[in-house]
Amino acid sequence: MDPRSEVLLRQAELFQGQVLLAGLPADDLLGRLPEARGWCWHAGDQAALDARFPQRSHFGVTVPEHGFDTAVVFLPKAKDLTDYILNAVAARLAGREVYLVGEKRSGIEGASKQLNPFGKPRKLDSARHCQLWQVTVANAPEAKPLESLAQTYELPLAEGPLSVISLPGVFSHGRLDRGSALLLEHLDKLPSGHLLDFGCGAGVLGAVVKRRYPHNTVTLLDVDAFAAASSRLTLAANGLDAEVLTGDGIDAAPMGLNAILSNPPFHVGVHTDYFATENLLRKAAKHLKNGGELRLVANSFLKYQPLIEEHLGACTIKAEGQGFRIYQARRG
């Protein structure tokens, strides 16, 4: 059981009835709170919850339509995403309670101040290296459309500027990260056919490839619903047509790909997690056609070359700079 869930269950009498659990972990909390419902934006967690508690967790970027009497927000990593989620639930709960729970190392103490616009927050519990805060919504906000919180920036490209639109919580929100910038400089001589942008974030790589190689089929894949929504906005803003999928890692990707491009994640929340990338490297060959290429940018300290060569074939370092390397390998 996640320690944040354990803290909630210490006060279980507060969470009977129609409770919305926003950003809940994929543990047994729904089993322990049988009338509660979830709101999830992580495709892996959603799949696990669906398998155990069918129809009890909503997946997406907007607050569920079903009625609820109170809400618990599990503290997201990004401050602006926390603001959006709190605003979305508080707008539906005038005069009722909103709770915020999170780990101390995730910054729950400071994040509790984000409850101030709605009323006077108070700390209810501190245990398992977590804290639980509560506020009665005295000042119910207007619900903000998610798109109003988007940040837009332009990438100057040889074929014209590209507008990138990112939503709260998406990796490198509102700016181009250094790893993607390096990879964008080295997108020459890509195979034709079906290309995948794995861990697409705001859709930068997928959109650039579709703009530059319009005859190719491009699929963008991310585990996060906010990233997928950002990618769709980026594609639409540039008049580009590509498929956007949510799924938990490379297993959710199409087969028969000609190329996989990636600036893969290695953080989940405040935790470091290399599983998604290592799983990609182990299974890329299964998703690539013969001669298909993997092109990936990663921090130089991550020793991915031996793993790529073990599972895919000869791997070269195509470029490096500013602490990043681009790895290139083909399926033989």
Side-chain angles (χ1 to χ4, degrees), residues 211-226:
R211 161 83 68 83
R212 192 167 294 171
Y213 305 100
H215 58 284
N216 283 332
T217 299
V218 176
T219 297
L220 298 86
L221 172 65
D222 205 286
V223 73
D224 183 77
F226 288 91

Side-chain angles (χ1 to χ4, degrees), residues 3-4 7 101-104 108 125-132:
R4 297 167 298 169
V7 171
V101 64
E103 294 180 273
K104 291 177 185 175
I108 181 64
D125 203 355
S126 182
R128 312 287 197 274
H129 305 289
C130 300
Q131 291 181 0
L132 173 64

Side-chain angles (χ1 to χ4, degrees), residues 13 50 70 100 125 157 162 182 197 199 205 217 229 252 262 266 269 271 273-274 279 295 303:
E13 70 281 356
D50 266 345
T70 189
L100 182 65
D125 203 355
L157 300 172
L162 184 90
L182 183 64
D197 177 0
L205 295 175
T217 299
S262 187
F266 64 92
H271 306 284
D273 185 354
Y274 303 107
N279 199 43
R295 200 174 297 186
K303 307 302 181 189

Side-chain angles (χ1 to χ4, degrees), residues 54-327:
Q55 310 299 314
R56 288 188 58 199
S57 185
H58 161 81
F59 180 76
V61 297
T62 55
V63 66
E65 288 302 317
H66 64 76
F68 46 93
D69 302 316
T70 189
V72 180
V73 176
F74 288 77
L75 179 64
K77 179 183 178 184
K79 184 176 186 290
D80 50 4
L81 181 56
T82 304
D83 278 335
Y84 168 69
I85 302 296
L86 288 173
N87 182 276
V89 298
R92 299 266 293 271
L93 290 173
R96 287 173 283 177
E97 277 66 50
V98 172
Y99 299 86
L100 182 65
V101 64
E103 294 180 273
K104 291 177 185 175
R105 65 175 173 173
S106 300
I108 181 64
E109 187 94 45
S112 65
K113 296 179 177 62
Q114 292 173 257
L115 298 170
N116 287 336
F118 314 120
K120 187 174 172 58
R122 63 192 184 103
K123 190 195 304 185
L124 293 186
D125 203 355
S126 182
R128 312 287 197 274
H129 305 289
C130 300
Q131 291 181 0
L132 173 64
W133 290 75
Q134 175 260 327
V135 68
T136 301
V137 181
N139 310 306
E142 289 284 325
K144 293 178 187 171
L146 180 58
E147 286 78 6
S148 72
L149 303 175
Q151 291 190 16
T152 303
Y153 63 94
E154 282 202 343
L155 287 183
L157 300 172
E159 51 270 38
L162 184 90
S163 294
V164 181
I165 301 177
S166 70
L167 294 171
V170 175
F171 171 68
S172 195
H173 183 36
R175 61 182 175 82
L176 183 67
D177 67 285
R178 289 178 298 156
S180 294
L182 183 64
L183 189 52
L184 288 176
E185 294 172 9
H186 297 279
L187 290 181
D188 55 304
K189 299 178 182 174
L190 283 172
S192 295
H194 192 173
L195 286 79
L196 173 71
D197 177 0
F198 176 82
C200 58
V204 176
L205 295 175
V208 169
V209 167
K210 186 64 181 177
R211 161 83 68 83
R212 192 167 294 171
Y213 305 100
H215 58 284
N216 283 332
T217 299
V218 176
T219 297
L220 298 86
L221 172 65
D222 205 286
V223 73
D224 183 77
F226 288 91
S230 294
S231 288
R232 292 186 182 101
L233 291 172
T234 295
L235 292 166
N238 296 283
L240 299 170
D241 183 28
E243 178 184 41
V244 181
L245 302 175
T246 52
D248 192 12
I250 190 62
D251 296 306
M255 297 292 185
L257 296 167
N258 298 92
I260 299 172
L261 298 173
S262 187
N263 177 7
F266 64 92
H267 284 97
V268 177
V270 296
H271 306 284
T272 302
D273 185 354
Y274 303 107
F275 176 78
T277 304
E278 292 177 357
N279 199 43
L280 163 67
L281 303 184
R282 289 189 181 96
K283 296 181 178 178
K286 186 173 78 168
H287 292 265
L288 288 166
K289 290 182 175 177
N290 284 339
E293 181 182 325
L294 172 70
R295 200 174 297 186
L296 170 143
V297 65
N299 292 78
S300 300
F301 67 83
L302 298 171
K303 307 302 181 189
Y304 285 153
Q305 191 166 4
L307 197 59
I308 295 170
E309 293 188 333
E310 179 184 353
H311 294 281
L312 188 59
C315 174
T316 59
I317 297 174
K318 185 173 173 64
E320 58 185 309
Q322 293 197 301
F324 291 88
R325 284 180 181 156
I326 297 175
Y327 297 101

